[in-house]
Amino acid sequence: MFPSVLRAGRLTACLLALCSAQFCAAALTPVEPTALPQSGDANLATRLASYAGRPVLVNFWASWCEPCREEMPALQALADRGVVVLTIAVADRDADARRFLDQAGVALPLLFDREQRISKAWGVRLLPYTVVLDGRHRVVARAQGVVDWNATAVREQLQRLMR
């Protein structure tokens, strides 16, 4: 996913595409609350500051990643129910990411991480990758891979984590 292994990152995304969300759903794994990773990205800092006091679900994805594309409608549904969802397009062309979101009818906030500075600082190794932040913007959970956001158990867990 990082510049030297971008092709391998795409291969990983392609391998994940063999799994559909219903058969290969990733787990939302709670972690001890930890400080927000510092990437030095001003756009991310500004966006997160605009959500001060509110929990945020941060999703790292790419338009060329089929599992990421599969997950987007469910993330939009979460946002429609009041969850703050921030998406970060990793190693992607701005136009491709915007085009996919437009065509999919997804209207989620979008940041770009073309140089993978944010994803590297946040420990992203595989797409999609999701980080749940509590109201103090501490990391409280992570998920590597597609999460079945429509599953009742996942939504209940997310609600507990975002209190």
Side-chain angles (χ1 to χ4, degrees):
M1 307 270 247
F2 306 116
S4 61
V5 292
L6 180 57
R7 284 181 290 278
R10 286 186 186 221
L11 175 61
T12 301
C14 291
L15 291 173
L16 279 177
L18 298 174
C19 297
S20 69
Q22 68 188 54
F23 298 112
C24 296
L28 188 57
T29 307
V31 297
E32 280 297 315
T34 57
L36 193 65
Q38 297 302 310
S39 66
D41 186 89
N43 291 327
L44 176 61
T46 300
R47 184 60 62 117
L48 288 174
S50 74
Y51 302 130
R54 297 179 66 194
V56 180
L57 188 148
V58 181
N59 181 262
F60 292 85
W61 71 288
S63 65
W64 44 261
C65 166
E66 191 58 38
C68 301
R69 296 165 64 95
E70 180 179 318
E71 190 176 45
M72 274 299 155
L75 291 171
Q76 179 64 60
L78 285 176
D80 292 345
R81 289 192 291 272
V83 175
V84 175
V85 178
L86 175 61
T87 68
I88 300 177
V90 179
D92 208 345
R93 291 184 214 134
D94 295 11
D96 292 345
R98 283 192 180 105
R99 185 178 318 106
F100 167 72
L101 293 179
D102 288 344
Q103 290 172 349
V106 173
L108 297 171
L110 173 62
L111 294 177
F112 298 98
D113 188 26
R114 285 178 299 282
E115 305 302 319
Q116 297 112 50
R117 288 186 191 115
I118 302 169
S119 52
K120 186 175 183 178
W122 286 50
V124 176
R125 303 275 184 266
L126 183 72
L127 296 177
Y129 187 84
T130 303
V131 178
V132 179
L133 308 177
D134 66 9
R136 293 170 52 191
H137 291 176
R138 298 176 302 172
V139 175
V140 295
R142 298 176 187 272
Q144 184 170 283
V146 176
V147 174
D148 183 0
W149 299 107
N150 295 316
T152 302
V154 171
R155 284 187 287 174
E156 289 171 356
Q157 181 186 22
L158 184 60
Q159 264 185 330
R160 285 190 304 275
L161 289 165
M162 296 185 108
R163 285 190 194 146

